[in-house]
Amino acid sequence: QAHLMESGGGLVQPGGSLRLSCSASGQIFALSIMAWYRQFPGKQREPVAEINVREGSTNYADSVAGRFTIAGDMDRKMVYLEMNNLKAEDTAVYYCYAKGLARWRERFDSWGQGTQVTVSS
């Protein structure tokens, strides 16, 4: 019922900044949770940042707290991840995740295809 597409990944030097975007499309009635995850080679996907659309509250992994900011524009069905002071350890594939209700009020969970972020000098 929903399709997510990430953009904004690429190569950046340590200490630099990057902005990731995620667009949601399809027969979506409402979004309840939007989040960013990341995955290192051979490792499980892990949460980075999450926003509860209804509450407006956010959660961050300890490794990115104070450096990353998640924000949403629900009118446009988009979520962003502002990444500052990037470190080599942030290098990973970043995925957008969304949970909500489709047109007929059925629940859905969707993942984007992922976008590569590489932090290197």
Side-chain angles (χ1 to χ4, degrees):
Q1 299 92 356
H3 178 249
L4 306 181
M5 182 176 294
E6 303 99 333
S7 63
L11 176 65
V12 64
Q13 292 186 323
S17 299
L18 210 59
R19 178 187 174 97
L20 303 183
S21 299
C22 174
S23 298
S25 61
Q27 299 300 314
I28 301 170
F29 174 75
L31 294 165
S32 59
I33 298 289
M34 296 199 78
W36 289 94
Y37 285 69
R38 65 186 179 185
Q39 187 170 22
F40 305 102
K43 305 295 183 180
Q44 289 190 327
R45 198 170 297 180
E46 60 183 53
V48 175
E50 175 188 271
I51 182 168
N52 183 305
V53 177
R54 179 170 175 263
E55 299 286 341
S57 58
T58 58
N59 289 300
Y60 297 92
D62 290 341
S63 59
V64 307
R67 298 188 297 120
F68 291 10
T69 302
I70 186 170
D73 183 345
M74 294 303 102
D75 289 339
R76 295 169 176 79
K77 297 177 183 176
M78 297 188 70
V79 66
Y80 308 92
L81 185 67
E82 301 276 2
M83 303 184 293
N84 299 308
N85 191 25
L86 283 161
K87 304 174 180 180
E89 308 90 86
D90 295 317
T91 297
V93 177
Y94 285 71
Y95 295 88
C96 180
Y97 167 83
K99 180 169 70 176
L101 296 176
R103 181 174 179 270
W104 295 105
R105 312 299 191 268
E106 66 270 36
R107 300 173 183 174
F108 73 84
D109 294 88
S110 295
W111 292 91
Q113 81 287 348
T115 184
Q116 177 71 48
V117 172
T118 302
V119 185
S120 176
S121 59

